[in-house]
Amino acid sequence: MEPWMLLLGAGIALGCVSGHLYTAPDSCEGRCGEPFSEEDECHCHPGCEAEHNCCEDHERHCGPDGFSSSSASISEQELLELSEQLYRLDHNKARPSDIALNPQHLAGPDETGDKQDRSPQPLYKYVNEELFSKPTYASFIKLLDNYQRATGREEEVTAEELREQERFLEEVMETELMKKLFVFLRGKNRYSSEQEFLQDLTQMWFGLYSRGDGERDSSGFEHVFSGEVKKGKVSGFHNWIRFYLLEKQGVLNYFSHNFDGPWDTYPDVLGLQFSWDGFYKEVGSAFIGCSPEFEFGLYTLCFLARPGRACHLSLGGHRLSVQTYPWTKATYGGGRRFIATAYVMSP
């Protein structure tokens, strides 16, 4: 494995045909018949009993009388095929002429943590800001100033901020990309209606939980897209639009990159080091040039299909993975988990 592969790195009770929407890494719920993978903590494929490596609840879910049918599981092949479809449906992504990057210094594994600015120029030489007038971009950007970045400080959500959340979700659900994702998940018995899907997106992404001191100070959306500061370091912050806007304001200093994806069009993937108001991000990763709905939809898919595990995808014929983690210290809607983080990594 290459070094950069290691480095990239309030509830509403909803009825759902298959119970919990996603499975924990140590459970077979929704995973019956899933192919063997060495990355899994325990296994749910037909031969696991003979190999003595089944999850403890394998018999309950996958036995003759099990209630977690294989039709609800999402196979590796389905993830590869659906991610290619979503990639093609990202109609709002940047064109090659919309963004000009200046990556400058390529950091080696021994350089990513030394907090040295090896790139004197900004990362973004040019962004066509007409992109930001598109409905999903405009509603996304309005969310970015709704958060206190320091963990341990309770978030106070105003009525206006709730309306902004609703508007963003309404706009992304109008896109062909998110409609395709919903149809797929409905076919897997994960949701019975678009309204149910919308309600659950609201909770898993915007529901508040505590990362420190017992205060409801964080959400999946804040962590992944806006970024936080915890114990003197930047935490989360995996969005290219947020990066560009803060760099333009002069409060974010790009240091170097440790990975540049193989794509010759957008979305691309970049692993990067930067400082935000003096707080350092040793290794961040981000899709570059994708629409908000693409990133939002892809992370949602991986969170539902492979929470806590690598989610193997294909974009434009190139393999990559997304890693998500559920927040394990709080639940909503009868045991569902909030998103703790989501980010793109190596294949």
Side-chain angles (χ1 to χ4, degrees):
M1 185 176 287
E2 296 296 323
W4 60 264
M5 291 184 179
L6 298 171
L7 287 167
L8 278 181
I12 300 174
L14 302 175
C16 179
V17 177
S18 61
H20 294 304
L21 286 176
Y22 66 86
T23 182
D26 59 354
S27 171
C28 279
E29 185 174 358
R31 290 174 57 197
C32 300
E34 185 179 276
F36 173 83
S37 172
E38 291 183 354
E39 296 172 349
D40 293 341
E41 292 182 17
C42 58
H43 304 281
C44 308
H45 62 287
C48 70
E49 289 183 340
E51 298 166 9
H52 305 292
N53 56 14
C54 297
C55 298
E56 288 186 4
D57 60 3
H58 176 263
E59 178 65 23
R60 180 159 62 92
H61 288 296
C62 307
D65 300 320
F67 56 84
S68 182
S69 67
S70 59
S71 65
S73 67
I74 298 173
S75 71
E76 294 290 293
Q77 187 60 33
E78 285 173 321
L79 284 173
L80 295 175
E81 292 173 358
L82 180 60
S83 55
E84 284 288 2
Q85 292 168 354
L86 298 181
Y87 180 76
R88 291 192 295 271
L89 290 174
D90 190 10
H91 303 313
N92 287 326
K93 68 183 178 183
R95 298 163 300 180
S97 60
D98 287 331
I99 299 175
L101 291 178
N102 186 14
Q104 300 167 81
H105 184 76
L106 177 61
D110 58 337
E111 294 178 324
T112 58
D114 61 12
K115 304 183 182 180
Q116 297 297 311
D117 183 359
R118 293 184 168 87
S119 302
Q121 302 300 320
L123 173 62
Y124 288 92
K125 289 194 291 188
Y126 168 76
V127 170
N128 177 10
E129 294 193 7
E130 288 183 10
L131 282 171
F132 300 160
S133 64
K134 293 175 180 284
T136 57
Y137 284 81
S139 57
F140 173 83
I141 290 170
K142 285 193 174 182
L143 294 171
L144 296 176
D145 64 357
N146 289 354
Y147 303 102
Q148 301 186 59
R149 68 182 180 187
T151 59
R153 297 176 61 187
E154 182 160 1
E155 295 290 345
E156 296 181 6
V157 183
T158 67
E160 181 180 1
E161 289 170 351
L162 285 173
R163 285 194 295 272
E164 290 174 352
Q165 291 176 14
E166 292 171 3
R167 180 64 183 272
F168 169 72
L169 290 171
E170 288 169 359
E171 294 293 355
V172 298
M173 286 305 301
E174 285 295 316
T175 66
E176 196 176 347
L177 186 156
M178 287 295 289
K179 288 185 181 297
K180 177 69 177 180
L181 175 60
F182 165 68
V183 168
F184 174 82
L185 293 171
R186 183 178 61 187
K188 289 295 180 179
N189 293 326
R190 303 298 180 103
Y191 300 96
S192 59
S193 69
E194 192 168 309
Q195 182 60 30
E196 184 185 355
F197 183 40
L198 195 62
Q199 287 177 323
D200 199 46
L201 287 173
T202 302
Q203 289 299 309
M204 75 168 74
W205 279 106
F206 293 103
L208 294 175
Y209 51 83
S210 174
R211 286 187 190 264
D213 302 327
E215 303 288 349
R216 293 183 354 128
D217 59 354
S218 186
S219 67
F221 186 93
E222 176 186 5
H223 181 85
V224 173
F225 294 104
S226 182
E228 299 178 297
V229 172
K230 184 175 182 180
K231 296 182 179 178
K233 294 181 179 180
V234 175
S235 181
F237 198 136
H238 299 287
N239 180 256
W240 76 272
I241 301 168
R242 175 70 159 163
F243 191 105
Y244 166 73
L245 293 173
L246 290 179
E247 187 178 62
K248 181 182 176 182
Q249 293 172 24
V251 297
L252 189 147
N253 183 13
Y254 168 71
F255 280 15
S256 57
H257 71 286
N258 62 296
F259 172 69
D260 191 352
W263 292 269
D264 55 10
T265 185
Y266 296 114
D268 196 358
V269 176
L270 204 64
L272 63 169
Q273 293 71 51
F274 61 91
S275 173
W276 179 18
D277 271 345
F279 298 103
Y280 188 57
K281 181 72 173 180
E282 181 173 333
V283 179
S285 62
F287 286 108
I288 307 294
C290 66
S291 68
E293 61 266 28
F294 174 83
E295 200 169 3
F296 190 74
L298 213 62
Y299 289 158
T300 298
L301 169 64
C302 284
F303 182 66
L304 294 173
R306 300 288 187 271
R309 296 178 288 150
C311 179
H312 303 302
L313 309 172
S314 179
L315 302 180
H318 296 289
R319 296 291 184 95
L320 80 163
S321 299
V322 163
Q323 179 72 49
T324 66
Y325 288 102
W327 187 253
T328 59
K329 299 176 182 178
T331 62
Y332 70 92
R336 300 180 187 185
R337 302 286 188 184
F338 302 100
I339 290 177
T341 191
Y343 54 89
V344 59
M345 58 178 190
S346 65

